[in-house]
Amino acid sequence: MTGFFRQHGTLVCDGVPLSRIARAEGTPLYVYSAATIVERYRAIDEAFASHPHTLHYALKANSTLAIARLFRGLGGNVDANSGGEIDVALRAGFIPPQIVFTGVGKTQAELAQAIELGVKSINAESDGELERIDALARARQTRARVALRVNPDIDARSHPHISTGLKTNKFGIALDRARDIARRFSRREGIEIVGLHAHVGSQITDLEPLTGAARALVALARELQDDGVRIEHLDLGGGLGISYDGSPVPSARDYADALLPAVRDSGLAIILEPGRNIVAPAGALLSEVVDVKEQPGGKLFVVLDAGMTELIRPMMYNAFHRIEPVETASTREVLVDVVGPLCESSDTLGKDRRMPRPEAGDLFAVLDAGAYGAVMASNYNRRPMPAEVLVENGTYSVIKRRQTIDDLVALES
Ligand SMILES: Cc1ncc(COP(=O)(O)O)c(C=O)c1O
């Protein structure tokens, strides 16, 4: 068994007891299972084996260097969303042809960096950005490889904050303008249009929007081929969700079964940019109970040493995460709100949870926190960023040390 499960009543990660890791490294602490990442990466890769494809792991989900290196070791590629993520990819050992560069507001400096490196594709967001890419590439006497990010006006049926494929969203080029724009820019000296891209949202558990976006890209690619534009690949983005609460969700196989029929006849290679689906279940946030307090006539609160600064998803997306005691207790169950230590009422990790009454000093694991967890941590209330460890082959290593207050103030004068 891989990942987080109970062994003799105690929660372990790939067989290593979480209590042992927390005792040695302190809390709050992110713990990742390398075996889960490997397993879930391979599940997607194998599901698409019958069609030419490359997996570009979305670094935005979790870009800690050791995690990025793990993907490189698996033969993966990356999707970078900023100059910083490109830099991390290079430090992790990826080469430019393994990087696609996405992002709604790429700066001149970031575009120049991507063009000079010669990344596999810059996923262009607008005609304005195409103009800038063309000018930057011509000034460097080169041609930038570009995919048009298309906005197909498709509802991902996910949380509004992570839906990106509607025309009311800021992302991409409207589908009905894309043909004209592609034709126009394909004649530019500084631009080689090599692909089409769509990413309609994240935590998608109904596959129809993904199939719809794939069909739209295939139809557009046909039109462009008729226009003499040579498309090499279709980038179908990421977005496949996971089950945070145990309810059934599509598997990697279901995902491939939904997408492949839409793209197979195009004869075009596909790129996928999975993030959450691979790393979310591979991570847990460990935290210690600081206090258990009852508001008379109100609620029972379990106050953790981790909160919205370590994991903002519950506050930002109203996201549900399972929160489990690391050691099972036989005391009676109570109804609690699990909250963080910050000066915000919205600093709540779980509302109305039934669990054995905890005590100060108990350890808790917030599960499925490997994606959009550590990467979204902040220093609000002057809280240092948590440490991160990776469990691999029956042992663990610290892959990011805990930040100190000295680290924090080092930037200030
Ligand atoms: C362009 C792009 N690709 C890939 C992803 C990864 O999405 P997910 O983590 O849902 O797979 C995102 C995230 O929203 C994205 O914006």
Side-chain angles (χ1 to χ4, degrees):
M1 231 170 138
T2 61
F4 298 87
F5 56 94
R6 288 201 184 270
Q7 232 169 28
H8 314 298
T10 186
L11 211 51
V12 299
C13 174
D14 295 349
V16 181
L18 293 180
S19 50
R20 194 169 93 210
I21 306 178
R23 230 178 294 124
E25 307 304 332
T27 55
L29 178 73
Y30 272 98
V31 179
Y32 305 117
S33 150
T36 302
I37 293 177
V38 172
E39 203 173 278
R40 297 184 72 86
Y41 174 90
R42 291 200 175 132
I44 298 180
D45 200 27
E46 282 162 21
F48 283 87
S50 66
H51 191 86
H53 69 279
T54 36
L55 300 190
H56 284 249
Y57 165 65
L59 280 172
K60 59 168 18 173
N62 185 324
S63 60
T64 308
L65 267 174
I67 302 287
R69 281 196 203 106
L70 188 54
F71 280 99
R72 188 174 62 84
L74 288 170
N77 306 270
V78 287
D79 166 39
N81 252 263
S82 66
E85 285 188 356
I86 291 179
D87 206 280
V88 164
L90 296 173
R91 287 170 200 242
F94 290 95
I95 55 171
Q98 293 176 315
I99 301 172
V100 294
F101 182 30
T102 320
V104 79
K106 305 177 198 77
T107 63
Q108 290 284 93
E110 286 174 322
L111 288 173
Q113 174 193 22
I115 292 166
E116 284 165 17
L117 284 168
V119 298
K120 178 181 177 114
S121 167
I122 300 175
N123 293 334
E125 288 272 346
S126 68
D127 43 358
E129 185 170 275
L130 284 159
E131 288 287 0
R132 289 189 287 279
I133 294 171
D134 181 42
L136 287 164
R138 275 188 293 116
R140 287 160 180 75
Q141 289 165 355
T142 185
R143 285 187 101 187
R145 290 171 55 84
V146 171
L148 293 200
R149 178 168 183 176
V150 175
N151 181 325
D153 196 24
I154 285 176
D155 184 355
R157 300 174 203 154
S158 181
H159 189 279
H161 291 185
I162 45 177
S163 293
T164 54
L166 282 170
K167 64 179 170 200
T168 47
N169 300 129
K170 65 183 172 181
F171 301 93
I173 296 167
L175 184 59
D176 55 6
R177 295 189 59 215
R179 182 177 187 178
D180 177 52
I181 289 176
R183 222 173 10 198
R184 209 151 33 94
F185 281 93
S186 65
R187 296 188 208 109
R188 296 290 185 91
E189 248 174 71
I191 285 185
E192 184 186 4
I193 299 205
V194 295
L196 298 174
H197 174 248
H199 171 80
V200 295
S202 194
Q203 185 49 19
I204 296 174
T205 51
D206 167 356
L207 297 173
E208 179 47 37
L210 293 172
T211 311
R215 282 200 208 101
L217 289 194
V218 169
L220 179 59
R222 291 215 171 99
E223 290 176 348
L224 292 178
Q225 282 161 342
D226 290 345
D227 297 340
V229 182
R230 278 195 40 227
I231 301 291
E232 291 174 16
H233 71 252
L234 302 177
D235 183 338
L236 306 180
L240 181 62
I242 65 148
S243 179
Y244 283 97
D245 62 1
S247 53
V249 293
S251 64
R253 172 75 45 200
D254 298 332
Y255 180 48
D257 287 348
L259 290 184
L260 287 179
V263 296
R264 199 177 305 278
D265 291 345
S266 73
L268 294 169
I270 58 168
I271 288 178
L272 299 165
E273 300 171 350
R276 182 194 310 272
N277 187 267
I278 300 177
V279 291
L285 172 61
L286 291 191
S287 179
E288 191 179 296
V289 176
V290 179
D291 196 11
V292 178
K293 64 186 283 188
E294 197 152 6
Q295 298 291 27
K299 286 189 144 178
L300 185 62
F301 291 98
V302 177
V303 186
L304 299 183
D305 66 0
M308 59 184 262
T309 38
E310 287 70 34
L311 183 66
I312 202 170
R313 297 191 68 260
M315 177 195 172
M316 195 149 138
Y317 309 118
N318 206 15
F320 176 91
H321 282 266
R322 289 175 290 146
I323 304 173
E324 294 194 7
V326 168
E327 310 289 350
T328 42
S330 52
T331 52
R332 71 188 167 89
E333 289 209 327
V334 286
L335 195 66
V336 302
D337 273 10
V338 182
V339 299
L342 286 109
C343 283
E344 299 274 342
S345 285
S346 52
D347 181 30
T348 298
L349 292 175
K351 263 193 184 344
D352 298 324
R353 303 296 178 90
R354 194 160 282 286
M355 58 176 65
R357 189 188 171 102
E359 286 176 18
D362 286 357
L363 266 184
F364 271 84
V366 184
L367 297 171
D368 301 313
Y372 308 104
V375 279
M376 291 177 115
S378 83
N379 291 126
Y380 183 43
N381 278 200
R382 287 287 187 178
R383 289 170 56 77
M385 301 267 187
E388 297 173 44
V389 310
L390 180 66
V391 179
E392 206 166 10
N393 303 324
T395 177
Y396 77 85
S397 48
V398 176
I399 58 170
K400 185 171 177 183
R401 73 161 167 81
R402 188 176 303 285
Q403 203 178 32
T404 64
I405 298 293
D406 282 342
D407 293 332
L408 262 176
V409 296
L411 304 175
E412 301 173 28
S413 53

